Amino acid sequence: MEYMNSSDGSSMSSSGVMKNKILCCECGTPIEPNPSNMCVACLRTHVDITANIPKQAVVFFCRNCERYLNPPSEWVQCTLESKELLSVCLKRLKGLKEVKLVDAGFVWTEPHSKRIKVKLTVHGEVMDGVVLQQVFVVEFTVNNQMCDDCHRTEAKDFWRCLVQVRQKSINKKTLFYLEQMILKHKAHENTLGIKPSPSGGLDFYYATDAHARKMVDFVQAVLPVKVTNSKKLISHDIHSNSYNYKYSYALDVVPISKGSLVCLNKKLQQQLGHISPICLVTKVANAVHLMDPRTAQIAEVQNMAFWKNPFEAICNPKQMIEFIVMDIEIVRDNEKKNFPGQGPVSFRHVLADVWVVKASELGINENTIHTRSHLGHLLKPGDSVMGYDLQDANINNADFEKLKQDVVPDLLLIKKYYDKSARKQTRNWKLKHLTEDVALDTDIENDYNEFLEDLEEDPDLRQNVNIFKDNSKVIPVDVNDMPDPSVPRITLEEMLDDLVLDDVEMTEEQ
């Protein structure tokens, strides 16, 4: 038996022990004493701890890249009902700082409904230390908004940084090599657009300066280039003191290409192991590779060394003429000229004394010309060979005019000649390009064919190039099916299978 004490309203049991309970001031339910003197049910009717938290909000979604906007300006990749998406949704609620978030989870909705429901459990302190727990649902509406990156991609003329690659040279084979290096290493992934230049170069457009600098560093790593940068002020905010610039990088590639003939000054000759002043450019990669055709001495000119002592081509591959080999004799080791301080000598080439006749004078006025060449391992009597006739060449170069007549050779043989039409017909491989908008005139097409021939003749050069099978060409199975087995060609093992995206569509239709 218990009875009520009329003085304080507390109850007392028959044993005389007081129970510390009070009655709710609203409904009269016995409760533990608290500062509000109300039960939980009545307290919820009077106080709402989620009043300052919106029950509806908006999240922004980019349909092109399928990313959500993470305030203030970051776009993140999120899947439905993922913790990343939950974090994005919670950042859209402003009143969460006033309460303690205990639990949050998604309520299932249709994926195409453009609605995201999140169930939240929060704790809040009300009326002098009373902690109240409340569960509620917030509905987010997914609105479509294009992100900045997709906007710049769609607006193809919108760019912040421009990288211009140019080469002041008659022959453009070096630019074709650079194009294949970019494709192989996928250095063009962050570009907004790629446009060919009427002068034969390429323009790369970027959204940020960091992506443009990455391309500049890549080109500097694969080719000797000179970089010139500039910036143009677009706008200026005087309140925040922020500036908006457009940046431009001009990359000037060395004005020489493989097969060109150059003339070196005395200072550079001494630095390169007293090499002959007239040298052949055998390769243009991260350095300019030179060789003296009469001694097979080789040298490399690095990027900084070239621009400190620049030199230009005195003869280009378009000036080569055809000669017919009449006789050839290999030079013995004891007959080679060696001197102290001489640079390295190429072991891939064989020196030989060659007697040739101009193909245009064959059978008319056969003036046999003697020269020493590095092509002794390739030539035999009756072969055709391309070379420079320096006696009849019109050379306008200050370093060349300073040379004595006994130093200048009458003739320099460059490479063995093969039938161009036959090589083009039997070429069963192809290359990819950065852009298909290039208007190929006769000169550029000839330069491109020469670049393809260099790939067939130089195994080291094609290691940096992705070569694909050309399914439209018939691949010869037997050696007898080939027009000339001695013609250099790329083996089937070095080719890659071209990816055909139509196969996926065919499977879906089936």
Side-chain angles (χ1 to χ4, degrees):
M1 176 182 295
E2 64 180 26
Y3 57 91
M4 187 71 65
N5 190 344
S6 59
S7 62
D8 57 359
S10 60
S11 60
M12 181 180 294
S13 62
S14 58
S15 60
V17 180
M18 295 289 295
K19 292 184 177 180
N20 295 326
K21 283 193 175 183
I22 63 173
L23 299 179
C24 175
C25 63
E26 291 288 334
C27 62
T29 304
I31 60 172
E32 296 291 337
N34 61 67
S36 62
N37 293 331
M38 286 192 294
C39 63
V40 176
C42 296
L43 192 61
R44 285 176 178 171
T45 59
H46 286 76
V47 179
D48 185 10
I49 62 175
T50 66
N52 296 328
I53 302 176
K55 304 305 184 291
Q56 291 182 345
V58 178
V59 293
F60 296 99
F61 176 71
C62 179
R63 291 185 295 179
N64 294 341
C65 60
E66 297 183 351
R67 295 187 298 175
Y68 291 87
L69 176 61
N70 187 17
S73 60
E74 182 185 6
W75 291 83
V76 293
Q77 194 84 25
C78 303
T79 58
L80 291 176
E81 299 189 2
S82 63
K83 61 180 182 179
E84 292 83 5
L85 182 57
L86 184 61
S87 175
V88 171
C89 294
L90 294 180
K91 285 186 178 181
R92 304 297 298 178
L93 302 178
K94 298 181 179 179
L96 281 180
K97 294 182 179 179
E98 301 176 2
V99 295
K100 180 180 179 182
L101 181 63
V102 178
D103 188 22
F106 289 98
V107 179
W108 186 86
T109 56
E110 290 287 346
H112 61 274
S113 65
K114 296 295 182 181
R115 295 291 186 273
I116 299 175
K117 293 184 178 180
V118 180
K119 184 178 180 181
L120 302 176
T121 303
V122 295
H123 284 178
E125 184 178 346
V126 295
M127 295 186 181
D128 300 330
V130 178
V131 178
L132 189 64
Q133 176 177 312
Q134 196 164 342
V135 180
F136 64 102
V137 176
V138 180
E139 182 178 319
F140 294 88
T141 304
V142 181
N143 286 356
N144 294 325
Q145 177 178 325
M146 187 177 291
C147 66
D148 295 338
D149 295 336
C150 294
H151 177 73
R152 290 166 185 162
T153 304
E154 291 296 327
K156 297 181 180 179
D157 294 333
F158 184 86
W159 53 272
R160 291 296 178 89
C161 299
L162 172 64
V163 178
Q164 296 177 315
V165 181
R166 298 291 186 271
Q167 184 183 26
K168 300 175 182 178
S169 173
I170 299 176
N171 195 299
K172 304 297 181 183
K173 290 193 293 183
T174 307
L175 292 181
F176 290 126
Y177 172 75
L178 175 62
E179 179 187 29
Q180 298 304 317
M181 290 290 291
I182 293 175
L183 286 170
K184 183 178 180 65
H185 297 279
K186 298 180 181 180
H188 63 295
E189 286 184 337
N190 297 319
T191 55
L192 295 179
I194 302 173
K195 292 183 180 180
S197 172
S199 60
L202 289 172
D203 294 338
F204 299 89
Y205 297 89
Y206 292 92
T208 61
D209 187 37
H211 292 160
R213 288 179 179 272
K214 189 175 180 181
M215 171 59 81
V216 173
D217 294 340
F218 175 80
V219 178
Q220 285 182 311
V222 298
L223 283 181
V225 295
K226 182 172 63 175
V227 181
T228 305
N229 59 341
S230 62
K231 62 181 180 180
K232 179 181 178 182
L233 180 64
I234 303 301
S235 61
H236 174 215
D237 189 355
I238 59 175
H239 301 287
S240 61
N241 199 26
S242 61
Y243 295 83
N244 184 16
Y245 290 100
K246 276 192 174 182
Y247 299 88
S248 297
Y249 296 89
L251 275 62
D252 192 7
V253 184
V254 289
I256 53 179
S257 60
K258 182 179 179 180
S260 300
L261 211 62
V262 297
C263 183
L264 309 179
N265 55 32
K266 289 186 177 180
K267 182 179 180 181
L268 196 56
Q269 285 179 247
Q270 296 175 356
Q271 294 176 357
L272 301 178
H274 298 278
I275 196 171
S276 174
I278 299 178
C279 295
L280 171 68
V281 180
T282 58
K283 184 180 179 182
V284 179
N286 53 355
V288 180
H289 297 252
L290 304 176
M291 183 175 63
D292 181 8
R294 294 179 296 172
T295 61
Q297 182 178 346
I298 57 177
E300 292 184 7
V301 182
Q302 301 297 330
N303 188 13
M304 296 297 295
F306 177 86
W307 296 110
K308 286 182 179 180
N309 297 292
F311 51 86
E312 58 184 11
I314 59 175
C315 293
N316 289 291
K318 296 180 180 179
Q319 299 174 253
M320 289 191 295
I321 58 177
E322 183 181 356
F323 295 89
I324 305 299
V325 179
M326 306 303 294
D327 193 10
I328 183 171
E329 182 179 342
I330 303 299
V331 178
R332 299 177 181 177
D333 293 338
N334 55 1
E335 297 177 355
K336 297 178 182 179
K337 294 182 180 180
N338 297 318
F339 54 87
Q342 185 181 16
V345 178
S346 175
F347 295 100
R348 295 176 52 188
H349 302 84
V350 178
L351 287 180
D353 289 322
V354 187
W355 288 264
V356 297
V357 175
K358 288 184 179 181
S360 59
E361 299 178 357
L362 187 64
I364 302 174
N365 184 14
E366 297 185 359
N367 292 326
T368 305
I369 306 175
H370 168 262
T371 185
R372 181 163 287 187
S373 175
H374 63 293
L375 303 176
H377 60 297
L378 295 176
L379 300 179
K380 61 182 183 297
D383 288 343
S384 297
V385 61
M386 304 298 293
Y388 295 111
D389 187 1
L390 298 182
Q391 285 185 330
D392 299 335
N394 185 12
I395 300 174
N396 185 13
N397 184 271
D399 294 326
F400 183 80
E401 293 175 357
K402 297 177 183 178
L403 299 179
K404 298 181 181 179
Q405 291 296 327
D406 56 347
V407 180
V408 179
D410 297 336
L411 171 66
L412 286 179
L413 302 180
I414 305 303
K415 65 177 183 177
K416 187 178 179 179
Y417 176 77
Y418 301 96
D419 188 5
K420 291 181 177 292
S421 60
R423 295 180 68 174
K424 191 173 182 180
Q425 291 177 0
T426 58
R427 188 172 291 138
N428 53 9
W429 54 274
K430 61 182 179 179
L431 301 176
K432 290 188 175 182
H433 301 282
L434 290 173
T435 176
E436 300 296 337
D437 300 335
V438 182
L440 291 176
D441 56 10
T442 305
D443 293 336
I444 296 180
E445 188 175 1
N446 291 336
D447 294 343
Y448 182 67
N449 289 329
E450 290 182 10
F451 173 69
L452 298 182
E453 293 173 1
D454 292 340
L455 289 177
E456 293 174 339
E457 296 170 5
D458 192 351
D460 296 335
L461 182 63
R462 60 176 178 258
Q463 287 182 356
N464 299 325
V465 177
N466 286 336
I467 300 173
F468 298 91
K469 295 179 184 177
D470 191 355
N471 296 323
S472 61
K473 298 290 184 66
V474 179
I475 301 176
V477 179
D478 191 2
V479 180
N480 297 326
D481 298 336
M482 301 180 184
D484 187 2
S486 64
V487 175
R489 48 176 45 87
I490 299 176
T491 60
L492 197 61
E493 291 79 9
E494 297 177 273
M495 302 181 192
L496 302 174
D497 290 326
D498 196 3
L499 178 62
V500 180
L501 298 178
D502 296 338
D503 295 343
V504 180
E505 299 179 0
M506 290 176 62
T507 55
E508 292 178 355
E509 292 176 0
Q510 292 175 358

